Amino acid sequence: MTAHAPSGIDKMIDSAFVGLADFFDKTLFYGLKFDIPGAAGEIVTKEAPLILIWLVMAGVIFTLYFRFVNLRLFKHSFDIVAGKFEEPGAPGQTSNFQALMASLAGTVGLGNIAGVAVAVSVGGPGAVFWMVVMGFIGMSTKFIEVAAGVKYRRVFINEEGKTDISGGPMYYLQDIFSARGLPAVGKFLAIVFAIFCIGGSLGGGNMFQANQTFIQFVNATGGPETSVLAGQGWLFGLGLAILTGIVIIGGIRSIASVSSRLVPLMAVLYVIAGLFVIAMNYQHIPAALWSIIHDAFTPAAGLGAVVGGLLIGVQRASFSNEAGLGSASIIQSTARTNEPIRQGLAGMMGPFLDTIVICSVTALVITISGVYESGQGMQGITLTAKAFSTAIPFADHFLALCVFLFAFSTMIGWGYLGVKASTFIFGEHILVENAFKLIFCGFIIIGCASDLSNVIRFTDSLILSMAIPNIIGLYIMAPEIKKDLQAYLAAGKHRRLKGEGVVQAAE
């Protein structure tokens, strides 16, 4: 459902991207097809997209290669984020906590509300289990990419005479291939990654978020026919662009400052509301939890439904927490630390909070309330709103607020990613930064005022394409990051608490 019909110019722009969007769909989402038995013994054909296999393989391999670092050092990861290992004199622009929150600002978005609803309605309760599993192994992928981002970052004095930092896949891809005598390969992959990142920031990280926020506000204020906002997408977009511009114009310090307040606030607000809905439907909790575990392995619809739930759950988690895409390493490379491994461990909390906590709350609310069975074809935010309405009056208005907060945080996060990708290609100049920020804010207005579904479909593909060059680099760096992790643990750096010069016993 859209709040506006596409105009002539919208259609022209959108139609121009049909070919590109279809090409990326056919290549990036090309799937391996296989036949499995259904509930009645019939043969069911399923398809596993190659990009999904690429992301899952990375998560599994890194989890095993780093010996379940996501479990072994989970408490240490939490302590880092809690501020127990701050390094005040270290180079950097943000604290460990601020770096994580700024990174989460880019990942905690509409996928946590709408995307999860699609996963449950299409894949059934079993999809929730596989979504959590993917969030778990994604923690290991996030660890290595964030550690690499800090290790290979650039600390420099910008044109304003201030200390600045740039990091992420663009830089470690360039360096690791240069160190192996292949500078041209490294430069090529780095530029390809940066181009994908710029496109993704303007589409999935901007226009889609703005468009869906406007639609939800229109629906919450009476719908397309009676809402005072109907037909005023450009005006809504202008206001949203101004708010976003105020934050991103100040750079990473401004983004981190806002994110460190906004992300915890919106996450806590959403989780508390979700837990309230779950508590109000307490009598359904045992049955719902059983259906999640049971349907993950042995649903009534047969093996075909198991695979279907697995694929949609993995897909939703991958799109939500962005583990393997490299986006987190760009933002978290700004952390104030001399220890790349330390920030890598802090980065592990990203998939945990995004997928295992927030996405799971959405999934449990939908499952326990039972609306996915009686939703009558509803999907996305509409289904999530129906689930919340079982216990919370005016759920549409509450979801409209959550959608705004989640989308706004995503836009300011992706605004920074786009800036850094642009300056990597065109140079570290204030003019380049400000030009991209203006373009970025302009695309917010376009997203609200237009219906450019094919443009957004194309740019969404660019976001996922970031995983191809990034994970190639992560495989190459895995041995050196593993050595760095072993040295970090051997030196007892995971046991030394802030303000103390002694090594304490780990719990």
Side-chain angles (χ1 to χ4, degrees):
M1 179 180 182
T2 59
H4 40 65
S7 65
I9 192 168
D10 288 352
K11 288 181 179 178
M12 288 176 58
I13 296 172
D14 203 40
S15 297
F17 280 85
V18 171
L20 282 171
D22 289 344
F23 171 77
F24 269 83
D25 274 352
K26 291 176 181 177
T27 52
L28 186 65
F29 293 101
Y30 177 80
L32 297 179
K33 295 182 180 179
F34 49 93
D35 296 330
I36 51 179
E42 78 282 10
I43 298 300
V44 179
T45 300
K46 291 293 180 180
E47 188 173 339
L50 290 178
I51 189 64
L52 219 56
I53 297 173
W54 182 246
L55 290 165
V56 172
M57 279 180 55
V60 172
I61 289 171
F62 292 136
T63 297
L64 296 175
Y65 187 73
F66 291 108
R67 295 175 51 238
F68 290 89
V69 64
N70 43 1
L71 273 182
R72 286 191 297 134
L73 296 174
F74 180 84
K75 182 181 182 300
H76 180 50
S77 173
F78 182 83
D79 287 341
I80 296 170
V81 174
K84 294 183 178 180
F85 290 82
E86 289 292 335
E87 303 167 60
Q93 298 168 296
T94 61
S95 67
N96 301 126
F97 176 76
Q98 288 177 324
L100 175 65
M101 290 301 107
S103 175
L104 276 174
T107 61
V108 177
L110 297 182
N112 298 78
I113 300 175
V116 174
V118 173
V120 177
S121 59
V122 174
V128 180
F129 176 85
W130 297 114
M131 190 173 61
V132 171
V133 170
M134 190 60 191
F136 172 72
I137 64 174
M139 292 171 69
S140 301
T141 307
K142 194 77 81 170
F143 157 70
I144 182 175
E145 63 185 7
V146 172
V150 176
K151 183 173 183 177
Y152 287 94
R153 68 185 179 179
R154 306 288 197 274
V155 181
F156 61 97
I157 303 299
N158 64 23
E159 294 175 342
E160 295 180 329
K162 298 177 181 178
T163 300
D164 205 346
I165 291 177
S166 291
M170 304 88 72
Y171 296 93
Y172 56 67
L173 285 170
Q174 186 174 249
D175 288 357
I176 62 174
F177 278 98
S178 293
R180 289 161 176 79
L182 298 168
V185 174
K187 189 69 173 179
F188 172 76
L189 290 176
I191 291 175
V192 167
F193 176 91
I195 292 172
F196 288 161
C197 186
I198 291 171
S201 71
L202 294 175
N206 180 328
M207 287 195 295
F208 174 72
Q209 306 293 328
N211 181 273
Q212 293 299 299
T213 302
F214 174 59
I215 289 173
Q216 184 61 22
F217 267 75
V218 168
N219 291 338
T221 53
E225 303 301 325
T226 60
S227 173
V228 294
L229 293 173
Q232 303 297 318
W234 68 272
L235 185 60
F236 184 90
L238 179 62
L240 192 56
I242 291 173
L243 285 176
T244 304
I246 290 172
V247 177
I248 67 174
I249 199 70
I252 187 60
R253 287 186 175 88
S254 174
I255 293 170
S257 177
V258 172
S259 299
S260 64
R261 295 171 175 82
L262 177 62
V263 174
L265 171 66
M266 69 184 192
V268 170
L269 178 68
Y270 186 76
V271 169
I272 289 177
L275 292 177
F276 177 75
V277 175
I278 293 170
M280 293 299 289
N281 290 277
Y282 69 93
Q283 68 273 24
H284 303 304
I285 292 177
L289 293 177
W290 168 248
S291 69
I292 289 172
I293 302 299
H294 183 269
D295 284 19
F297 299 98
T298 55
L303 183 59
V306 173
V307 177
L310 186 153
L311 290 175
I312 192 67
V314 167
Q315 176 178 310
R316 194 63 264 152
S318 299
F319 292 178
S320 180
N321 63 48
E322 297 178 9
L325 304 189
S327 54
S329 68
I330 298 176
I331 295 180
Q332 296 199 49
S333 64
T334 64
R336 194 177 300 111
T337 183
N338 287 308
E339 301 289 345
I341 293 299
R342 179 167 291 155
Q343 190 58 37
L345 294 171
M348 290 197 313
M349 294 301 292
F352 174 78
L353 294 172
D354 177 277
T355 305
I356 299 178
V357 177
I358 299 176
C359 283
S360 293
V361 166
T362 302
L364 286 171
V365 166
I366 294 170
T367 303
I368 288 174
S369 64
V371 298
Y372 77 96
E373 296 176 325
S374 58
Q376 298 177 335
M378 288 190 297
Q379 287 190 355
I381 295 174
T382 306
L383 186 64
T384 306
K386 181 175 175 61
F388 273 88
S389 68
T390 61
I392 299 176
F394 309 111
D396 281 345
H397 296 82
F398 172 74
L399 260 295
L401 173 62
C402 289
V403 165
F404 168 75
L405 293 176
F406 280 41
F408 180 67
S409 74
T410 297
M411 287 189 289
I412 63 175
W414 273 94
Y416 179 77
L417 297 178
V419 165
K420 284 302 174 182
S422 298
T423 55
F424 176 79
I425 295 176
F426 301 108
E428 296 281 0
H429 304 297
I430 299 299
L431 179 62
V432 174
E433 285 192 21
N434 290 336
F436 182 84
K437 290 171 183 176
L438 285 174
I439 292 170
F440 188 84
C441 290
F443 269 78
I444 295 175
I445 301 173
I446 295 173
C448 288
S450 309
D451 183 14
L452 304 174
S453 57
N454 285 306
V455 175
I456 294 171
R457 189 159 61 95
F458 167 63
T459 55
D460 276 352
S461 297
L462 294 184
I463 291 178
L464 288 175
S465 298
M466 291 161 58
I468 299 172
N470 181 52
I471 291 177
I472 290 173
L474 296 183
Y475 281 134
I476 294 173
M477 287 186 296
E480 67 176 272
I481 298 297
K482 186 173 186 178
K483 288 181 181 178
D484 292 345
L485 175 60
Q486 291 170 338
Y488 179 86
L489 297 176
K493 293 179 180 179
H494 61 306
R495 302 171 187 260
R496 191 170 288 118
L497 299 179
K498 183 179 74 172
E500 298 184 8
V502 299
V503 174
Q504 299 194 355
E507 295 179 4

